[in-house]
Amino acid sequence: KMRSSFLLLLAASCGAFAPAAQPIRSRTRVRLLPEIELARTKTFVWFFGSNGAAGIALSAFPSMYANVQEINKLKGVGPTLGGEPLGISPICGYPEDVAVADVAGVVRNPLSVEEIVDKYPVEGKYLASLGYLTYEAFKEANADSNPLAVRAVFDCFATSTNVVQPDVAQAKLDAYKRDPAIVKDDLLKSKLVGFSAILFLLGLLGLAALETFVNARTWILGR
């Protein structure tokens, strides 16, 4: 009887030092709820998809700002024939109006667009080497004209850029030679198209940022 009691006591003592039983861990992967999984996918799509638009906007803003600064510096610069003003809309962002006679002097330049491109090559610009008309070449070809009038005419060709297809520029010049006053309307249209494009791009970026935030919150917080 004493032997049995001793064995029971020994077993109890050994059990006290035995390692605790480890809980069985499930190897089953936790699956996200469908709406959370969808939110995660949308987060990545909106975030990385908007990077391209952001890059375009960031590259366009410095160019647009530089153009605005350059146009403002042309106020009161260079010769002018005076006379009837063209009537440029304030929306165009020009520092002052230009004379119809100054515009006529620019558009009636005897050189064609092709001749301007050949006579005034611009180094370091790939599109210029392909025959595109640049603002630099157009300005040199009209060096004796009013600088602001030169800028106004060129801005009718291109939208927020300093390069334009030669056939587009030539068609515009041919029309302006017949009636220089229509430069006013074309300039306004060109500026409105440029502003609208930037506003649309900013709207897309705002929408992308909002969608990214909402879906990321749903993904991370689960609601």
Side-chain angles (χ1 to χ4, degrees):
K1 186 175 181 179
M2 290 182 61
R3 184 177 181 182
S4 298
S5 299
F6 176 75
L7 290 175
L8 289 173
L9 180 62
L10 180 62
S13 299
C14 292
F17 293 99
Q22 297 294 324
I24 299 176
R25 295 182 178 179
S26 174
R27 295 185 178 181
T28 303
R29 185 178 179 179
V30 177
R31 299 189 62 182
L32 296 176
L33 294 175
E35 57 270 20
I36 296 179
E37 192 167 357
L38 179 61
R40 179 179 65 176
T41 302
K42 286 184 175 181
T43 298
F44 287 108
V45 169
W46 279 105
F47 178 77
F48 290 106
S50 62
N51 282 344
I56 295 174
L58 289 175
S59 63
F61 287 148
S63 176
M64 291 183 64
Y65 180 76
N67 283 345
V68 170
Q69 292 294 100
E70 180 183 356
I71 290 173
N72 287 331
K73 290 178 181 178
L74 296 179
K75 181 178 180 180
V77 176
T80 178
L81 298 175
E84 180 187 357
L86 183 63
I88 295 177
S89 171
I91 299 175
C92 297
Y94 275 59
E96 62 183 2
D97 208 344
V98 297
V100 174
D102 290 333
V103 172
V106 175
V107 301
R108 288 171 182 163
N109 188 316
L111 295 176
S112 67
V113 171
E114 185 177 354
E115 290 171 337
I116 291 175
V117 172
D118 291 338
K119 189 174 181 178
Y120 303 99
V122 179
E123 300 295 334
K125 288 198 173 182
Y126 176 70
L127 290 178
S129 66
L130 296 180
Y132 280 67
L133 176 65
T134 62
Y135 173 64
E136 290 85 350
F138 191 70
K139 182 171 63 174
E140 285 191 57
N142 294 280
D144 296 331
S145 300
N146 180 267
L148 194 59
V150 174
R151 181 78 244 191
V153 173
F154 190 88
D155 280 349
C156 294
F157 306 155
T159 303
S160 303
T161 63
N162 283 329
V163 62
V164 64
Q165 292 174 299
D167 55 336
V168 172
Q170 188 62 64
K172 293 274 190 180
L173 282 175
D174 291 341
Y176 300 154
K177 286 177 181 178
R178 294 189 293 269
D179 184 7
I182 63 177
V183 167
K184 173 183 64 176
D185 295 330
D186 278 5
L187 179 61
L188 179 59
K189 290 177 185 177
S190 176
K191 292 296 183 180
L192 288 177
V193 169
F195 296 153
S196 299
I198 293 298
L199 289 176
F200 179 73
L201 189 58
L202 290 175
L204 286 181
L205 291 175
L207 176 62
L210 178 62
E211 288 289 338
T212 301
F213 172 77
V214 171
N215 286 290
R217 185 182 63 179
T218 303
W219 168 35
I220 297 172
L221 301 180
R223 65 176 187 273

